[in-house]
Amino acid sequence: MKELFPGYFREEHGDLSDIWKQAIFVFDANILLNIYRYSNKSSENFLRILKQIQDRVWISHQAVEEYFQNRLAVIKSQEAAYDDTMKNIDALESKLDNNRQHPFLNKSSLDELQTTFSKIKQELSESKKYHSDRILNDPIKDTLASIFDGKIGSPYTDKEYETVFKDGETRYRRFIPPGYKDSNKAKGTDSFTDQKRKFGDLVVWLQTLAHANDSAKDVIFITDDKKEDWWEIFNGKTIGPRPELVKEFKDFTSKRFYMYRADTFLNNANEFLDSNIDAETLAEVKQVHLDRSIFTALQKYKPLHDLVFYLNMQKLSVGSKLPSERELSEVVGYNRTVIREQLVRLESYEYVEINHGKSTILMKELPNLNTLEDDD
């Protein structure tokens, strides 16, 4: 039974230990991008693991393209996160300052809070500058370039892409993983660029299959994608990789396929590679994965919630232009800077595409605020 249905069985601990000693580690673009969302300490720890297994890492050409296409937007969204935190501190500071005769705090305690607020804002300002500097001077990018030097897959030719697009349509209609959850990304357009976005996950998968077959190695694939076209999900709980993926991989390569999120990858690295990643880093990496949910952001940022609420009322179809920042500012009730920050957030979740100086396009249906369930 296990030979016919390998995706429904877990490996024994001893087998996993052996696999971790010889498998190829393949990384998705979102793993590289999330490094920018970690604190400096956690980023350094993650990069340390990559250096530790440097002789066995590999990444598809498609994933590297996606990394470079989204790197600046991720850096920009992190800048907005710093700004939001400082605004929240300013609001609390102002509230306390307007009520100096606070019924629960004496003047000495309030003065201590003011000093603490100033210190925190100074640290945040310095951290934001350090983060913003990565736009031009990016040590993370340089380190990744060194780690993956000579370990990047070859690009597809246009003809090979056309074959993937054609075969992908059939796979998506049949809900064959991965990628079918992205079927609306190029709705109503046949442009080559949009088709590449629509079938990006499938290209990553097919390029990984080909490399594993050529190298005759087991693969450990690390991704922070949360969609059901990668993971088997039951009652909201992620069980493991889709069994269809495990079987397709075995049928094509005669090898074994494993898939981890960033946090479970680090946990296993501690166990099987003696990597000594501390609990604080493990907790932060896991939290970043959770925070990537658009619904977490909607609950955290009221301006984002209000903007999505308004856009949903407009009943926009995928591919439609959003109202201008000026129009959105007037009707949603926030200044243009705040509206722009929320649009950048939506772009980081791939709900919109911002064409600077032109228009913002809706790339997929916005989340339903009545459910607030995770929808990658």
Side-chain angles (χ1 to χ4, degrees):
M1 184 180 287
K2 188 174 181 179
E3 278 295 312
L4 294 175
F5 300 93
Y8 294 93
F9 294 87
R10 292 179 177 271
E11 293 290 334
E12 298 293 332
H13 185 273
D15 292 333
L16 273 178
S17 179
D18 174 66
I19 290 163
W20 271 76
K21 291 176 181 176
Q22 54 80 27
I24 299 170
F25 294 92
V26 178
F27 293 86
D28 203 357
N30 50 53
I31 294 295
L32 307 190
L33 293 169
N34 276 347
I35 295 174
Y36 293 88
R37 298 183 172 101
Y38 304 151
S39 65
N40 291 337
K41 175 189 172 185
S42 295
S43 295
E44 290 169 2
N45 279 334
F46 201 97
L47 292 171
R48 174 168 61 82
I49 300 299
L50 296 188
K51 291 176 183 176
Q52 183 182 354
I53 57 175
Q54 186 168 351
D55 60 331
R56 291 191 286 137
V57 301
W58 186 84
I59 189 168
S60 67
H61 193 275
Q62 175 70 22
V64 176
E65 274 195 34
E66 293 176 5
Y67 161 72
F68 282 118
Q69 289 167 358
N70 292 285
R71 185 181 70 90
L72 294 180
V74 170
I75 292 174
K76 181 64 177 177
S77 70
Q78 290 305 101
E79 289 180 2
Y82 282 111
D83 289 338
D84 284 335
T85 302
M86 286 191 279
K87 288 174 184 176
N88 289 336
I89 293 174
D90 286 338
L92 178 58
E93 193 174 11
S94 176
K95 184 176 181 180
L96 291 173
D97 192 55
N98 290 334
N99 188 9
R100 298 297 293 179
Q101 301 300 317
H102 201 282
F104 305 116
L105 293 175
N106 58 40
K107 182 179 183 303
S108 176
S109 296
L110 286 170
D111 289 341
E112 288 181 17
L113 274 176
Q114 295 287 353
T115 301
T116 301
F117 286 151
S118 297
K119 182 179 178 181
I120 292 173
K121 287 194 290 185
Q122 178 64 29
E123 290 181 3
L124 286 170
S125 179
E126 292 173 358
S127 295
K128 178 188 174 183
K129 182 180 184 307
Y130 180 81
H131 190 86
S132 301
D133 287 346
R134 289 173 175 163
I135 291 175
L136 297 177
N137 181 24
D138 186 355
I140 292 176
K141 180 182 67 174
D142 294 340
T143 301
L144 291 172
S146 175
I147 291 170
F148 288 100
D149 185 36
K151 303 177 181 73
I152 301 173
S154 300
Y156 277 166
T157 64
D158 287 355
K159 185 175 181 180
E160 286 172 320
Y161 270 116
E162 293 294 345
T163 299
V164 172
F165 299 161
K166 181 179 179 180
D167 294 343
E169 291 289 356
T170 300
R171 290 177 67 113
Y172 284 15
R173 282 198 304 271
R174 297 176 179 176
F175 298 102
I176 299 174
Y180 63 78
K181 292 291 287 184
D182 295 329
S183 59
N184 285 330
K185 278 190 174 180
K187 197 171 184 178
T189 174
D190 293 323
S191 77
F192 189 79
T193 299
D194 288 334
Q195 291 296 308
K196 282 182 68 175
R197 293 184 69 253
K198 176 179 178 178
F199 295 106
D201 282 5
L202 179 57
V203 172
V204 168
W205 174 245
L206 295 177
Q207 290 179 341
T208 300
L209 281 177
H211 180 71
N213 190 54
D214 292 342
S215 60
K217 291 283 188 179
D218 297 324
V219 160
I220 293 174
F221 183 60
I222 301 95
T223 180
D224 269 335
D225 198 313
K226 300 185 288 292
K227 299 192 299 295
E228 67 181 37
D229 56 358
W230 281 106
W231 299 96
E232 182 183 18
I233 300 172
F234 180 72
N235 284 344
K237 182 178 180 180
T238 300
I239 308 300
R242 287 284 294 263
E244 301 97 317
L245 297 177
V246 177
K247 186 176 188 307
E248 183 176 9
F249 190 92
K250 186 176 184 298
D251 290 346
F252 190 83
T253 68
S254 300
K255 293 296 177 180
R256 293 168 293 188
F257 175 75
Y258 298 86
M259 192 162 76
Y260 298 103
R261 299 191 313 260
D263 58 310
T264 51
F265 164 69
L266 293 183
N267 273 304
N268 280 281
N270 275 350
E271 180 173 0
F272 297 117
L273 301 176
D274 297 322
S275 297
N276 297 317
I277 297 295
D278 61 90
E280 184 180 354
T281 295
L282 292 172
E284 181 186 344
V285 170
K286 182 175 183 179
Q287 190 59 50
V288 167
H289 171 77
L290 295 175
D291 285 346
R292 288 294 295 140
S293 164
I294 181 64
F295 292 100
T296 301
L298 286 165
Q299 293 166 341
K300 187 175 182 180
Y301 303 110
K302 189 175 186 301
L304 179 64
H305 180 282
D306 293 346
L307 174 62
V308 171
F309 178 82
Y310 172 76
L311 292 175
N312 274 334
M313 290 180 61
Q314 306 311 300
K315 300 187 182 303
L316 300 172
S317 59
V318 173
S320 299
K321 292 182 180 179
L322 270 63
S324 68
E325 290 178 3
R326 179 181 57 79
E327 293 174 69
L328 291 173
S329 175
E330 292 175 354
V331 295
V332 182
Y334 297 93
N335 64 47
R336 291 180 63 177
T337 299
V338 173
I339 292 296
R340 190 175 302 118
E341 289 173 356
Q342 310 320 310
L343 291 173
V344 168
R345 282 202 177 90
L346 287 177
E347 186 176 52
S348 73
Y349 292 117
E350 301 181 350
Y351 281 91
V352 303
E353 183 176 274
I354 300 173
N355 300 306
H356 296 284
K358 296 181 180 179
S359 59
T360 299
I361 306 298
L362 184 66
M363 301 307 296
K364 61 181 180 182
E365 290 183 3
L366 290 166
N368 182 352
L369 298 180
N370 293 323
T371 60
L372 287 184
E373 293 176 357
D374 196 352
D375 179 13
D376 225 35

